[in-house]
Amino acid sequence: MKSNRRQFIKFSAIASSLFAFNKSKSAELMLSKTKKTVKPIVISTWRFGIEANEEAWKILINNGKALDAVEAGVKVPEADPNERSVGLGGRPDRDGKVTLDACIMDELGNIGSVACLENIVHPISVARAVMEKTPHVMLTGEGAFQFALSQGFKKENLLTPESEAEWREWLKKSDYKPKVNIENHDTIGMVALDMNGNLSGACTTSGMAFKMHGRIGDSPIIGAGLFVDNEVGAVTATGHGEEVIRIAGSHAVIELMRQGLHPEEACKRAVERIILSAKKRNKPLNEIQIGFIAINKNGEHGAFCLQKGFNYAVYSPDIKNQLIDAKHLL
Ligand code: ASP
């Protein structure tokens, strides 16, 4: 009996040291796995990208999903009434209505989009709900609004006194003249690579100030304002949406990266296509601005724009949230 007990104790000692060995071994394995994790990166358009990146980074650095990061990131300017080209406080259309466009895309090619959505602060989250909860990929106007309400989003007035005052001033002449940089339009486009090597993107805007009611830009159009291919990279666009749609801009950049071009070079080539397309139609180049930003599967980033004045925010372990001036062609 005693010897049995002794044997048992001996066995459990060996077993527990084995277990400890296995445990440390698996911790080691986990560590080597962690070592292999991808360096995350998030980039986004314009100066408001800095604050948006901050929010996205909290998710990325905690091993969260790129999809969650980009949604959380772009929600920052959406909710900020002082950002006059996105979400709450966005400049209205010529009828005084704030109409929002947004889309989202994940690493599996899941997509969701809303266009001409009114009275909802976070169109990006409605776009995500379209992606996750409906058999469709795009909802517009009243249908998008009713869907948002059914998902628990609250109806809110997005027209702030500042935007209303600007619109009333505009009504005096009613002259539709999109400016070149951030003066009367802007988009937050954000793309991210997470530690698991997955890419996602989000894009949201109130579009061109004083546009016709019902006008939809590039921002909610997958392939134009945003595109993600988990084998290649992720791209988003800002600027005159009509020009971006014409060349399926973000998709064009993806295809150029697929051919091996660095993100910056791919963005540059797409801007050159915009120039060619505008020249064919005798569209004066000084009236348009386009900016593309891109990351590839290796976490390299780049951007390019048509005119001077476009910048983008980069957050990675090496570049801790900096605004970078994009190179320009004109
Ligand atoms: N691309 C947006 C639109 O055309 C505007 C912008 O990014 O400036 O609606």
Side-chain angles (χ1 to χ4, degrees):
M1 193 65 173
K2 244 187 184 169
S3 86
N4 268 356
R5 194 159 176 266
R6 218 174 283 136
Q7 260 179 357
F8 173 70
I9 291 169
K10 207 170 146 192
F11 173 76
S12 7
I14 294 170
S16 66
S17 72
L18 257 177
F19 177 62
F21 171 77
N22 276 339
K23 233 171 121 183
S24 71
K25 198 76 194 154
S26 66
E28 229 172 73
L29 266 175
M30 264 175 69
L31 207 75
S32 68
K33 259 195 182 162
T34 328
K35 272 186 203 147
K36 270 190 215 137
T37 56
V38 172
K39 272 192 193 173
I41 180 169
V42 56
I43 66 172
S44 55
T45 53
W46 302 108
R47 66 199 178 317
F48 45 43
I50 291 282
E51 281 184 354
N53 280 2
E54 266 325 313
E55 208 53 36
W57 189 253
K58 287 182 200 160
I59 293 174
L60 292 176
I61 203 61
N62 284 307
N63 204 6
K65 288 186 64 156
L67 179 68
D68 295 327
V70 294
E71 182 190 4
V74 303
K75 280 173 80 172
V76 176
E78 276 187 346
D80 186 344
N82 298 318
E83 291 304 351
R84 311 281 302 286
S85 56
V86 180
L88 175 67
R91 292 185 185 88
D93 64 18
R94 59 187 57 180
D95 298 345
K97 293 175 173 149
V98 182
T99 66
L100 306 175
D101 292 344
C103 73
I104 194 157
M105 184 164 190
D106 74 6
E107 76 278 8
L108 299 172
N110 290 309
I111 53 175
S113 157
V114 287
C116 208
L117 173 65
E118 291 178 54
N119 298 310
I120 301 286
V121 175
H122 291 301
I124 198 65
S125 301
V126 185
R128 184 163 177 178
V130 170
M131 173 171 102
E132 291 175 343
K133 310 238 171 86
T134 79
H136 307 304
V137 297
M138 194 166 191
L139 292 178
T140 63
E142 183 59 21
F145 176 65
Q146 289 304 332
F147 169 70
L149 293 185
S150 78
Q151 296 300 307
F153 291 86
K154 297 268 163 322
K155 179 177 177 178
E156 280 175 64
N157 175 26
L158 305 181
L159 188 64
T160 54
E162 291 76 17
S163 283
E164 185 174 352
E166 217 181 300
W167 168 62
R168 293 207 179 275
E169 194 52 40
W170 177 83
L171 278 178
K172 291 181 186 162
K173 283 194 190 155
S174 297
D175 189 13
Y176 180 69
K177 262 215 163 76
K179 308 245 171 70
V180 165
N181 280 313
I182 55 174
E183 304 87 348
N184 64 8
H185 56 90
D186 247 350
T187 296
I188 176 116
M190 175 181 273
V191 287
L193 176 70
D194 65 29
M195 285 184 177
N196 290 309
N198 287 323
L199 293 155
S200 289
C203 186
T204 172
T205 187
S206 52
M208 310 305 281
F210 320 127
K211 60 195 175 183
M212 289 174 71
H213 181 64
R215 180 264 187 188
I216 293 170
D218 59 319
S219 308
I221 300 179
I222 296 290
L226 177 76
F227 203 76
V228 176
D229 183 320
N230 212 39
E231 306 304 312
V232 178
V235 182
T236 186
T238 181
H240 294 80
E242 284 75 5
E243 303 303 317
V244 180
I245 294 171
R246 246 180 266 280
I247 67 150
S250 293
H251 188 260
V253 177
I254 287 283
E255 290 311 308
L256 289 158
M257 288 199 291
R258 196 191 303 281
Q259 290 164 26
L261 295 188
H262 184 275
E264 182 180 297
E265 185 58 27
C267 290
K268 183 181 178 198
R269 299 273 179 101
V271 174
E272 284 167 353
R273 283 193 195 175
I274 298 260
I275 294 179
L276 274 180
S277 144
K279 279 189 174 161
K280 273 189 212 154
R281 289 171 293 113
N282 294 323
K283 171 101 186 159
L285 289 178
N286 59 1
E287 285 177 11
I288 37 178
Q289 170 66 308
I290 302 293
F292 290 109
I293 64 171
I295 50 179
N296 65 17
K297 193 69 185 167
N298 302 328
E300 293 170 306
H301 64 92
F304 225 91
C305 60
L306 186 58
Q307 325 250 5
K308 193 174 181 214
F310 168 57
N311 45 28
Y312 70 114
V314 179
Y315 204 147
S316 73
D318 312 315
I319 306 173
K320 297 219 158 46
N321 216 10
Q322 277 177 35
L323 207 54
I324 297 178
D325 287 329
K327 291 186 192 155
H328 52 98
L329 266 177
L330 294 188

